[in-house]
Amino acid sequence: MRYRAITLSIIAAWLVGCGGDDNLVASYSIGKDVALRLELKPIHPFLAEYERIAVLQGADGSTVRQKLALDTGGYSATNLYQCGPARFMLKGYFDNWLIDTAAGTVRSGACDSPVYIGIFEGKGREPWRFHSSQQRPEKALIPSGG
């Protein structure tokens, strides 16, 4: 009976961790009818570990999905930079991604002179969302172990 209660508790924790929050989605409008969305999908039943996915939605209705580096505990924050009129860069703790809205592509890489736009972030009781550069100063995303 005791093991059944433990098993049911683990299943309930998994369902709560993997079911709610609409997979933790935050969006930023890059221009007219073009949006960038970052999604977090839980990958562990009770630890805060997530699969991170960038989704570029074009003005023509096209959608490009790109898996980013995993968040294995506290590494979800992702800075957004502008690199040119139609080019942007996502910078996480372990990866950089170039977004070309004109071509509708998301590929690994970095730009030379990025201009900080804001950060996708959330922790604790604060929901996962995009914060503009006026709301949050640029955060150095440097991995540090505990």
Side-chain angles (χ1 to χ4, degrees):
M1 184 67 167
R2 180 173 166 225
Y3 294 112
R4 182 180 294 175
I6 291 170
T7 302
L8 290 175
S9 296
I10 291 171
I11 291 170
W14 180 81
L15 289 172
V16 168
C18 294
D21 298 328
D22 271 345
N23 292 324
L24 300 167
V25 176
S27 296
Y28 175 74
S29 180
I30 291 183
K32 187 177 182 184
D33 301 324
V34 178
L36 175 64
R37 198 170 71 228
L38 254 62
E39 300 176 354
L40 299 181
K41 292 187 178 184
I43 57 173
H44 196 279
F46 52 87
L47 296 177
E49 296 183 351
Y50 302 94
E51 178 179 68
R52 297 167 49 239
I53 302 168
V55 181
L56 179 63
Q57 293 181 303
D60 62 356
S62 63
T63 300
V64 176
R65 299 177 64 81
Q66 176 62 55
K67 286 186 180 183
L68 309 177
L70 293 176
D71 169 5
T72 56
Y75 295 105
S76 290
T78 307
N79 287 334
L80 178 63
Y81 300 88
Q82 187 152 13
C83 304
R87 293 187 60 210
F88 298 83
M89 180 179 72
L90 284 172
K91 180 179 183 352
Y93 282 90
F94 305 103
D95 54 352
N96 294 320
W97 295 89
L98 285 174
I99 299 164
D100 187 328
T101 60
T105 60
V106 179
R107 62 180 176 82
S108 181
C111 60
D112 295 330
S113 302
V115 176
Y116 176 69
I117 296 174
I119 186 170
F120 291 91
E121 186 177 43
K123 55 185 162 186
R125 295 179 186 259
E126 185 179 319
W128 174 251
R129 67 185 204 104
F130 180 79
H131 303 275
S132 71
S133 59
Q134 292 80 25
Q135 296 169 318
R136 296 268 168 92
E138 185 174 8
K139 178 179 182 177
L141 300 178
I142 302 168
S144 58

